[in-house]
């Protein structure tokens, strides 16, 4: 247990919160929508700690927060439609899902391995001051324990996450009170992934018709990972709980590696699930691209702490690709 600091949203509190973020600590912070659980998005361990603090049984991709559009567009591709939406809605309760740029600073774990990254600029003076002082993208899922409702006051955050995070920056109650609208711009037509603070009508007034996810997933629509699917899956078949490995298989190792694999990626030589979470998506991508192998064999990983989320992700990667449950 950590004693969670409750910080006033004045210059000293914002400076303290930014210093904690830069040191890899977790800080709850108010936005116009709901309180976010902030972490340095460029720090894989800080991002892993977000999933651990929320007690999320799986890795969902996280939104990154920026003080202005230009900072966001350093990390993601920004086609003209994204620039028009940023111009119209930022700062504000609209999150854009865009392709990650080469050299994207945001940890792959924050994107849950996807080729896309969700970004937004919140309309909230204290949040913007914090983001400026942090000087780097800040990952921020809603600051609640998994399965609980999103918090709209610092007291809600304290009740759910007190003792699990370094601090909460108390900027009073959130003005909007529902999460941001999530709009996927990584495919052809914009897809409304989550309704929220920015209305569909207001978005359509800027970009024309947007689709709902059901329509986007309809027969014949593109289904490549990183476009419309919300989860990354490697293209090679995945075999779980491997006790032996063949020469034509790539091995995702956890602890002392099995002998004989055609390629090896070590998640954590020491058998540390936090380190393994940080390296999971990079490992799947590396082995998928290894060449000369027909499958990825995964050594057993304990289902404790972040190991639960790692096993959930791997089970989905191993499920038959036509199984809709694996894509959920
Ligand atoms: O208002 C908000 O959006 C708040 C404040 C703190 O900014 N944040 C928030 O984050 O609600 P979270 O993690 O609770 O919700 C993020 C949503 C999830 O539904 C997630 O699946 C989706 O955004 N998302 C994030 N990255 C994505 C991606 N690359 N592709 C598709 N969906 C993504
Ligand atoms: Mg949430």
């Amino acid at each position: 247990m950590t004693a969670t600091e409750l910080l006033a949203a004045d210059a000293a509190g914002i400076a303290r919160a930014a210093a904690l973020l830069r040191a890899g600590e977790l800080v709850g912070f108010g936005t116009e929508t709901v309180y976010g659980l902030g972490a340095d998005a460029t720090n894989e361990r800080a991002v892993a700690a977000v999933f651990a603090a929320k007690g999320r049984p799986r890795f969902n991709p996280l939104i990154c927060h920026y003080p202005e559009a230009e900072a966001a567009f350093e990390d993601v591709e920004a086609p003209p439609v994204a620039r028009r939406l940023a111009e119209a809605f930022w700062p504000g309760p609209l999150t854009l899902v865009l392709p990650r740029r080469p050299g994207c600073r945001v940890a792959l774990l924050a994107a849950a391995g996807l080729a896309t990254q969700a970004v937004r600029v919140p309309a909230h003076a204290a949040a913007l001051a914090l983001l400026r002082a942090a000087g780097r993208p800040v990952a921020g899922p809603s600051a609640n324990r998994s399965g609980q409702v999103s918090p709209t006051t610092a007291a809600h955050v304290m009740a759910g996450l007190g003792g699990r995070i370094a601090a909460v920056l108390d900027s009073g109650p959130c003005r909007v009170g529902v999460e941001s609208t999530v709009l996927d711009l990584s495919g052809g037509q914009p897809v409304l992934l989550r309704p929220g603070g920015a209305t569909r009508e207001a978005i359509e007034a800027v970009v024309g018709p947007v689709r709902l996810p059901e329509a986007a997933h309809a027969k014949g629509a593109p289904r490549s990972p990183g476009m419309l699917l919300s989860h990354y899956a490697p293209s090679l078949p995945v075999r779980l709980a491997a006790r032996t490995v063949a020469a034509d298989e790539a091995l995702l190792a956890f602890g002392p590696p099995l002998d004989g694999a055609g390629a090896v990626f070590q998640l954590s030589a020491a058998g540390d699930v936090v380190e393994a979470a940080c390296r999971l998506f990079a490992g799947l991508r590396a082995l998928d691209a290894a060449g000369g192998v027909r499958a990825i064999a995964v050594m057993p990983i304990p289902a404790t702490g972040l190991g639960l989320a790692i096993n959930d992700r791997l089970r989905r990667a191993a499920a038959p690709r036509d199984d809709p449950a694996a894509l959920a």
Side-chain angles (χ1 to χ4, degrees):
M1 288 285 275
T2 347
T4 300
E5 297 174 36
L6 186 62
L7 302 170
D10 54 18
I14 287 165
R16 172 75 181 147
L20 287 167
L21 284 176
R22 294 171 69 100
E25 300 285 346
L26 305 186
V27 177
F29 67 103
T31 75
E32 81 280 35
T33 58
V34 300
Y35 271 73
L37 177 53
D40 176 353
T42 68
N43 177 335
E44 277 173 333
R45 285 203 166 251
V47 174
V50 165
F51 291 104
K54 283 184 68 87
R56 264 195 185 170
R58 65 172 64 165
F59 296 119
N60 292 334
L62 306 178
I63 297 170
C64 270
H65 298 74
Y66 297 83
E68 73 242 328
E70 282 322 305
F73 295 156
E74 285 175 32
D75 288 327
V76 292
E77 310 277 3
V81 60
R83 293 187 181 271
R84 284 208 305 281
L85 284 164
E87 182 84 13
F89 287 93
W90 285 354
L94 177 65
T95 293
L96 301 179
V97 173
L98 289 162
R100 288 165 61 98
R101 286 180 64 177
C104 178
R105 295 167 293 174
V106 178
L108 194 52
L109 184 60
L114 294 173
T116 55
Q117 183 64 55
V119 297
R120 94 175 182 99
V121 177
H124 190 280
L128 291 173
L130 175 65
L131 294 168
R132 263 184 227 109
R136 60 197 65 191
V138 172
S142 51
N144 49 284
R145 292 276 289 166
S146 180
Q148 298 180 347
V149 296
S150 295
T152 54
T153 66
H156 295 164
V157 181
M158 276 292 189
L161 294 172
R164 298 177 159 269
I165 63 177
V168 180
L169 185 64
D170 183 358
S171 53
C174 301
R175 179 168 57 75
V176 176
V178 296
E179 291 91 344
S180 63
T181 302
V182 180
L183 191 68
D184 185 352
L185 296 178
S186 66
Q189 197 181 346
V191 179
L192 187 72
L193 295 180
R194 178 177 76 180
T199 66
R200 180 178 181 176
E201 292 77 7
I203 293 167
E204 291 190 325
V206 177
V207 296
V210 303
R211 292 198 291 181
L212 298 177
E214 304 83 70
H217 280 289
K219 241 175 59 203
R223 309 197 80 186
S224 64
M227 282 187 62
L228 297 171
L229 299 184
S230 58
H231 291 290
Y232 168 73
S235 53
L236 286 177
V238 173
R239 184 167 70 83
L240 301 180
R243 305 269 172 197
T244 59
V245 65
D248 61 355
E249 288 182 310
L251 182 70
L252 195 61
F254 182 83
L258 299 169
D259 284 331
V264 178
F265 186 98
Q266 178 59 266
L267 285 177
S268 172
D272 170 13
V273 286
V274 176
E275 184 182 24
C278 292
R279 294 170 57 75
L280 175 65
F281 294 107
L284 287 171
R285 282 181 181 273
L287 294 181
D288 217 16
V293 290
R294 58 169 178 80
I296 298 173
V298 184
M299 290 177 65
I301 296 168
T304 52
L306 283 175
L308 271 183
I310 295 173
N311 280 297
D312 169 80
R313 165 64 26 245
L314 290 170
R315 261 194 311 278
R316 285 161 200 277
R321 294 301 148 81
D322 51 5
D323 174 1
L327 304 174

